[in-house]
Structure formats: C-alpha cells, structure tokens
Amino acid sequence: MTIREWIRDREISGFPTFSVDDVRSAFTNYSEQSIKNDLFRLSSQGILYPVYRGFYVIMPPHYAAKRMIPPIYYIDQLMAYLNKPYYISLLSAAEILGAAHQRPQKFSVMTVFPKSTVSSAKNNSLVWEYRKEIPSDFLLSRNSETGTILYSNSELTAIDIVQYEQYIGGLSRAATILEELTENLDFHGVSDSLLDYTSIATIQRLGYMLEDVLGQTEIADVLYTELRSYAKRFRYVPLNTRKTVENAEKNSRWKVYINSIIETDEI
C-alpha cells in the first residue's frame, strides 16, 4: 500500500485528518525522507492541506477548487493532536452565535499557554489567543462536518471581546458585537464561576459599555450586582488602555475613565 492509498482509505473510513506520526507508524519500512517527499508532493497536488506542523487534512472535494479548508472543519482534531483544551472565540464565536455582523477574516481559537511556536505563515487562517485556564462551564458545543466543535457562550464571548478588543478592531467593533449579543446575555449568578477567568477591569469596561453605550440597563444592573458580590471595592480604570486618562470624564458607577469615543456600526 502506498501513502496515497492509505490516505484514500482513511478518507473513506471517515478520518479526514492525520499526523506525520500516524504515517510513520503505518509505514515503518519507509525512510523519513520518503515520507516527507510523499507528503510534500500530495500537498502540492492539493490532495492534502497542511494546517499545522506535522498535521494534515485530507482535502474534501467541495473545498478543492479554492484549495483552502475553513478551520472549523478540522479545529477539534487539531487541538486533540496538540493535546490542548480550546474553544472557538471572539468574532468566530460571535458568528456561530449569530452576532458577527460581518464574517470575520480570521478564525480565532482560545487555548492555554505555552504559546504556539508555529508562525502564522504556516496557516494564516488561524489566530491564537491564550488563557491560563479554559472556563469549560461556559462553553457550548455543536456538530461540524467532521465531529464536534466547542465555542464560547454569549456571556464568555461578551467578556472576551472586551478583554481582547485589540485583536478584533477596537472598542467600537466590540460594542457592535455586544449589541447583537444582548438578546441572549444573562449574567445572573456568574460572579465566582466566570469572573475568576477575567479581570475586574474588563467587567468594569463591559458594564459601562452595556449601560452607557448600548442602553442595556437591565443586563448592566445584573452584571453590576455580580461584580459587587465578587469585588466589594474596585478602582478607576481607563476605558481604552492605549490612551491617556488626562482630562477624561469619569463614570462613577463603573469607575471608568471615559477616554475613548465608542460608536457602533449600523446593523
């Protein structure tokens, strides 16, 4: 059996991904160079799509014309290969939740440290963000073409797009996504279970945006109650961490220096 035939058998059997270690195990009589040559040739022919160092996806016919496979097709298998917890995050999670406004150009994945050592040039579709720990209680799952994917729920997505706003285009973009998420936001009872995974400053900024920018006072009131239960006292923080707070107005409830103008896009 050739490597090409082995790949075809995997495809027929419903295993659309594999690692170079899988090939080594199946072809013990092949030299390392022969395996590399075959995988390179099959990738050049569009039969394989290398998405990470040592990890390949068999090109599905419906993606062959573009020779590009969306990460949602293989992300669960890739993270299992890396042996790392994950969830689809930020704008990619918002899109799954029906709140992306526009289709994101990149696919965001949250995982844990240490950071990836693979450059974005190897797969520029994926954008990695990192946490110390994954808040698994706030993840949702759904079926994909190749199995099951994990993504952040509305509350965790709302927190993430404020905490990581620099990766999605800034606070105005975050507010636009928040506006679409508000229909499903419910922060009742999340104080210890979810706020442990973020910073108090992030919650202050989120609360200010919900209340003063978006006018979502009921959601903001619940979040404020949870924040006060979690942290009895908190200090003033800048709305925009990349701008000075000199001469900025203050929001006394959320203790936020309003040093940035936020404008949402028309939906």
Side-chain angles (χ1 to χ4, degrees):
M1 176 182 286
T2 65
I3 291 179
R4 175 68 185 95
E5 291 169 339
W6 177 83
I7 288 170
R8 177 60 177 162
D9 282 350
R10 286 187 67 86
E11 186 178 24
I12 292 172
S13 301
F15 296 98
T17 65
F18 65 89
S19 71
V20 68
D21 288 336
D22 295 328
V23 181
R24 292 187 185 113
S25 297
F27 295 89
T28 55
N29 59 326
Y30 274 45
S31 69
E32 187 69 15
Q33 192 59 52
S34 294
I35 291 174
K36 287 182 178 179
N37 290 345
D38 277 7
L39 293 178
F40 178 79
R41 184 178 65 255
L42 293 169
S43 298
S44 300
Q45 294 171 351
I47 294 169
L48 297 179
Y49 186 53
V51 299
Y52 199 90
R53 181 180 55 204
F55 188 81
Y56 296 84
V57 181
I58 303 167
M59 181 66 73
H62 51 293
Y63 294 124
K66 292 185 177 180
R67 298 187 74 161
M68 179 72 71
I69 305 175
I72 200 168
Y73 183 86
Y74 58 78
I75 191 61
D76 196 66
Q77 292 85 349
L78 173 58
M79 300 311 292
Y81 164 71
L82 296 175
N83 194 29
K84 277 192 168 188
Y86 83 97
Y87 62 89
I88 299 167
S89 60
L90 300 178
L91 298 184
S92 300
E95 181 183 23
I96 297 172
L97 292 165
H101 186 39
Q102 298 173 345
R103 171 158 288 185
Q105 299 299 309
K106 303 290 185 179
F107 191 84
S108 296
V109 180
M110 190 75 69
T111 186
V112 294
F113 292 105
K115 290 187 175 183
S116 166
T117 57
V118 176
S119 71
S120 60
K122 296 291 184 181
N123 187 342
N124 61 12
S125 298
L126 286 173
V127 177
W128 304 91
E129 287 87 30
Y130 297 89
R131 287 183 170 279
K132 292 181 180 179
E133 191 177 352
I134 297 295
S136 56
D137 289 345
F138 295 87
L139 303 185
L140 301 173
S141 66
R142 61 178 283 185
N143 293 332
S144 68
E145 291 182 76
T146 57
T148 303
I149 55 170
L150 299 173
Y151 59 101
S152 53
N153 70 3
S154 296
E155 291 74 35
L156 180 56
T157 301
I159 287 172
D160 279 351
I161 63 175
V162 174
Q163 182 171 348
Y164 298 89
E165 48 86 15
Q166 69 270 31
Y167 298 115
I168 67 169
L171 289 168
S172 290
R173 185 78 184 278
T176 299
I177 304 303
L178 275 177
E179 190 169 19
E180 296 190 68
L181 283 173
T182 51
E183 184 176 339
N184 297 314
L185 286 180
D186 182 3
F187 289 105
H188 283 95
V190 302
S191 58
D192 291 330
S193 53
L194 183 57
L195 304 193
D196 278 344
Y197 293 97
T198 188
S199 66
I200 293 172
T202 295
I203 301 303
Q204 290 172 250
R205 296 182 184 106
L206 172 60
Y208 165 77
M209 292 167 66
L210 286 169
E211 184 169 0
D212 277 32
V213 177
L214 301 178
Q216 297 289 335
T217 55
E218 291 185 14
I219 299 173
D221 285 346
V222 172
L223 185 59
Y224 186 78
T225 299
E226 297 298 333
L227 176 59
R228 288 303 301 267
S229 174
Y230 183 79
K232 302 300 182 184
R233 300 176 66 182
F234 41 93
R235 63 184 63 185
Y236 275 92
V237 298
L239 179 59
N240 189 326
T241 59
R242 298 179 296 281
K243 292 185 177 181
T244 180
V245 298
E246 187 177 357
N247 299 321
E249 293 184 15
K250 295 180 181 180
N251 178 284
S252 58
R253 186 188 197 199
W254 295 100
K255 288 184 167 49
V256 170
Y257 289 109
I258 308 169
N259 63 340
S260 185
I261 297 174
I262 298 178
E263 297 178 340
T264 59
D265 297 336
E266 291 188 8
I267 300 173

